[in-house]
């Protein structure tokens, strides 16, 4: 039987692939040997499947030649390789917690892929498992044993694939944005983990938006990556104290932009007045009070209050609101402005007081009256999660020149 390769240069690539397999103890059922015993011809292209078994693997599997060539190509051109990630020429892989298997297979959750065009290059971001360049690199470096096989179906990665060459800094920012969208849009909390150590991810409950199959465009730009890192640092914990502190950091990060915007708007109104053309003492004192008010807004409670008022829709947390947020739980579409203001003040006080209670030494802290009761912290952190998402989206929509970072 003769072998015909399509295209012709695929023969040389397959030959090099088989040599690679032999050097690294990878088994394969294919032999590159033309026999002239009969006139039959075997046609092989990149979709032709080879039966392959990897060192310390539990079973053999078939893979298209094209996929095998791709993972080996990238493994041979790695730039970064550690327990958390692999970055090759066109592919970046970030290891994520193994409990994603339960979400995807046991609960039937579909993790959508997405695409972004950055600097005229398309990036495809999706979750992959099993055979990857990461596993091939493990084989090349002999970083495996009978307890930790190099290729495992329980290996989960977020893969970022570029058309030409992946930019590491862009890949890092896309990862943060992708993790945020999975949590914000689908309600799925996954986090980056270490491949060579056991993961320790915790899910108190499965609360996914499984009726949504698309993601919004990923958030990027000045200050956004740092903000998303603050938010994503909460994905791998269910500790309510840590969650309160992290979500408050998100709100306070954006508060500086809100305060600056409020100052600019307030000063602009004064300067647009006809009195600005001939300012008297009263006008100057009024202008001074604007700046004095801005200094007040920079204080803890006032900064949070102004940010919640500017960026958030408290009606969205009405159902999750714990019982101590009395005005917030009563909100409806017909609520008076005065009731909405009371709800904003209530939420801002609750965030400020509860954060301070956790941030200060317990023996020194004197309660102010709006600290969240311990038995209601679960619902309270759900509210803070939603508010943080709203604050992040407001910040990302602001022009970069207006963002304070």
């Amino acid at each position: 039987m003769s072998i015909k390769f399509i295209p012709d240069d695929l023969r040389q690539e397959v030959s090099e692939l088989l040599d690679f397999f032999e050097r690294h103890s990878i088994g394969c059922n294919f032999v590159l040997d033309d026999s002239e015993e009969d006139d039959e011809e075997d046609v092989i292209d990149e979709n032709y499947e080879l039966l392959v078994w990897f060192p310390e693997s539990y079973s053999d599997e078939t893979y298209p030649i094209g996929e095998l060539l791709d993972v080996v190509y990238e493994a041979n051109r790695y730039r970064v390789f550690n327990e958390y990630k692999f970055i090759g020429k066109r592919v970046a892989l970030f290891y994520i917690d193994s409990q994603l298997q339960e979400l995807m297979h046991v609960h039937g959750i579909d993790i959508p892929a997405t695409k972004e065009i950055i600097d005229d290059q398309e990036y495809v971001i999706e979750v992959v498992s099993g055979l990857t360049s990461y596993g091939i690199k493990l084989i090349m470096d002999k970083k495996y044993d009978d307890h930790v096989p190099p290729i495992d179906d329980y290996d989960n990665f977020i893969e970022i694939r570029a058309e030409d060459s992946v930019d590491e800094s862009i890949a890092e920012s896309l990862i943060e944005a992708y993790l945020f969208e999975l949590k914000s849009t689908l309600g799925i909390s996954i986090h980056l983990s270490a491949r060579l150590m056991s993961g320790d991810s915790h899910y108190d409950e499965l609360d996914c938006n499984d009726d949504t199959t698309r993601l919004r465009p990923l958030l990027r730009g000045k200050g956004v990556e740092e903000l998303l890192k603050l938010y994503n640092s909460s994905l791998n914990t269910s500790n309510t104290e840590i969650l309160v502190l992290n979500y408050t950091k998100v709100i306070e990060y954006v508060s500086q932009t809100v305060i600056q915007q409020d100052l600019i708007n307030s000063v602009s109104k004064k300067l647009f007045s006809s009195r600005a053309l001939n300012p008297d003492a009263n006008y100057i004192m009024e202008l001074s009070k604007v700046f004095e008010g801005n200094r007040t807004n920079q204080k803890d409670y006032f900064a949070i209050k102004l940010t919640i008022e500017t960026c958030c829709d408290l009606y969205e947390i009405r159902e999750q609101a714990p019982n101590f947020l009395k005005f917030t739980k009563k909100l409806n579409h017909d609520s008076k402005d005065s009731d909405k203001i009371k709800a904003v003040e209530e939420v801002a006080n609750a965030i400020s007081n509860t954060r301070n209670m956790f941030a200060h030494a317990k023996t020194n802290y004197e309660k102010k009256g709006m600290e969240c009761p311990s038995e209601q912290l679960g619902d309270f952190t759900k509210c803070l999660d939603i508010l943080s998402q709203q604050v992040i989206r407001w910040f990302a929509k602001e022009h970069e020149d207006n963002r304070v970072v």
Side-chain angles (χ1 to χ4, degrees):
M1 176 184 294
S2 63
I3 301 176
K4 178 178 176 58
F5 287 89
I6 301 176
D8 292 338
D9 55 7
L10 182 60
R11 173 186 291 272
Q12 180 60 34
E13 293 182 59
V14 171
S15 177
E16 294 172 359
L17 178 66
L18 296 177
D19 290 340
F20 178 90
F21 283 177
E22 184 175 358
R23 292 196 306 273
H24 297 288
S25 304
I26 300 173
C28 180
N29 70 333
F30 186 80
V31 178
L32 188 60
D33 181 27
D34 286 335
S35 173
E36 298 181 0
E37 294 180 359
D38 55 56
D39 296 327
E40 291 186 25
E41 185 179 69
D42 199 4
V43 178
I44 296 177
D45 60 14
E46 289 191 346
N47 295 318
Y48 187 92
E49 294 190 336
L50 302 184
L51 184 67
V52 177
W53 51 97
F54 298 101
E56 303 296 346
S57 61
Y58 303 124
S59 62
D60 49 21
E61 291 191 43
T62 58
Y63 301 94
I65 287 178
E67 181 178 355
L68 292 167
L69 289 171
D70 179 72
V71 294
V72 170
Y73 174 91
E74 292 294 329
N76 279 318
R77 290 160 180 79
Y78 82 97
R79 288 179 281 161
V80 178
F81 177 67
N82 55 43
E83 64 266 43
Y84 292 97
K85 62 187 174 184
F86 168 95
I87 297 179
K89 178 175 174 52
R90 297 186 299 254
V91 171
L93 296 161
F94 295 81
Y95 195 75
I96 53 180
D97 59 280
S98 59
Q99 288 188 342
L100 182 66
Q101 289 285 343
E102 182 178 352
L103 288 174
M104 296 176 65
H105 301 300
V106 178
H107 297 281
I109 302 300
D110 182 30
I111 310 296
T114 189
K115 297 179 181 179
E116 293 288 317
I117 303 295
I118 303 171
D119 297 334
D120 297 325
Q121 181 175 216
E122 182 180 87
Y123 288 81
V124 178
I125 306 99
E126 62 181 332
V127 173
V128 299
S129 59
L131 175 63
T132 64
S133 299
Y134 192 102
I136 298 297
K137 182 64 175 136
L138 286 174
I139 294 174
M140 294 169 64
D141 292 353
K142 293 183 170 53
K143 292 184 177 180
Y144 60 86
D145 56 41
D146 55 347
H147 298 294
V148 184
I151 309 294
D152 196 317
D153 287 337
Y154 289 95
D155 282 341
N156 299 292
F157 298 87
I158 296 177
E159 179 189 85
I160 298 177
R161 184 174 290 270
E163 291 177 298
D164 181 37
S165 179
V166 68
D167 183 302
E168 183 178 355
S169 63
I170 289 178
E172 294 280 0
S173 66
L174 288 174
I175 279 293
E176 298 295 339
Y178 189 68
L179 291 173
F180 171 76
E181 288 299 335
L182 289 179
K183 180 58 172 24
S184 177
T185 304
L186 303 183
I188 297 174
S189 296
I190 60 177
H191 65 279
L192 303 183
S193 184
R195 165 56 168 79
L196 300 180
M197 297 185 294
S198 59
D200 185 27
S201 109
H202 181 83
Y203 289 89
D204 278 340
E205 56 184 291
L206 185 64
D207 187 18
C208 302
N209 304 329
D210 54 6
D211 57 342
T212 304
T213 59
R214 295 187 302 115
L215 297 178
R216 294 183 177 93
L218 299 185
L219 305 180
R220 297 182 67 252
K222 177 183 174 183
V224 173
E225 181 179 354
E226 294 79 2
L227 179 58
L228 293 180
K229 282 183 177 179
L230 282 176
Y231 177 86
N232 290 339
S233 66
S234 67
L235 299 183
N236 63 348
T237 183
S238 60
N239 184 301
T240 52
E241 181 173 331
I242 295 175
L243 289 174
V244 168
L245 294 173
N246 284 354
Y247 290 142
T248 305
K249 285 181 181 179
V250 170
I251 294 170
E252 290 184 325
Y253 183 100
V254 175
S255 69
Q256 298 308 306
T257 298
V258 175
I259 291 169
Q260 175 180 267
Q261 184 186 78
D262 182 70
L263 174 63
I264 292 173
N265 290 339
S266 299
V267 172
S268 295
K269 289 177 183 177
K270 298 298 294 181
L271 294 180
F272 288 151
S273 168
S274 59
R275 295 168 61 201
L277 298 176
N278 188 23
D280 55 14
N282 289 332
Y283 176 85
I284 294 173
M285 290 301 297
E286 291 171 10
L287 192 59
S288 174
K289 289 181 180 179
V290 171
F291 287 96
E292 184 64 34
N294 179 258
R295 283 192 289 272
T296 300
N297 284 339
Q298 294 179 30
K299 297 179 180 178
D300 182 354
Y301 161 74
F302 292 100
I304 293 174
K305 175 178 177 292
L306 187 58
T307 304
I308 297 298
E309 190 174 30
T310 303
C311 309
C312 300
D313 178 5
L314 293 187
Y315 184 79
E316 294 298 317
I317 66 169
R318 182 176 60 90
E319 293 184 3
Q320 291 87 357
N323 290 330
F324 85 105
L325 297 179
K326 299 177 182 178
F327 291 107
T328 305
K329 289 190 71 68
K330 293 179 182 179
L331 284 177
N332 57 56
H333 292 300
D334 298 323
S335 293
K336 299 178 182 178
D337 289 342
S338 58
D339 292 330
K340 293 178 182 178
I341 292 173
K342 290 178 181 178
V344 169
E345 292 174 344
E346 174 183 69
V347 169
N349 265 313
I351 294 173
S352 177
N353 290 180
T354 306
R355 189 280 304 275
N356 290 340
M357 177 177 67
F358 290 140
H360 293 82
K362 301 293 190 295
T363 55
N364 297 338
Y365 182 75
E366 295 182 7
K367 289 192 174 183
K368 307 300 181 183
M370 276 303 293
E371 293 81 1
C372 178
S374 58
E375 69 275 9
Q376 299 179 39
L377 278 171
D379 288 335
F380 186 56
T381 55
K382 289 180 181 178
C383 293
L384 288 182
D385 188 0
I386 295 171
L387 295 176
S388 296
Q389 294 173 22
Q390 293 180 349
V391 164
I392 288 169
R393 295 199 184 281
W394 179 91
F395 181 83
K397 287 192 299 183
E398 284 295 293
H399 192 281
E400 290 193 350
D401 291 343
N402 297 332
R403 301 175 192 167
V404 177
V405 298

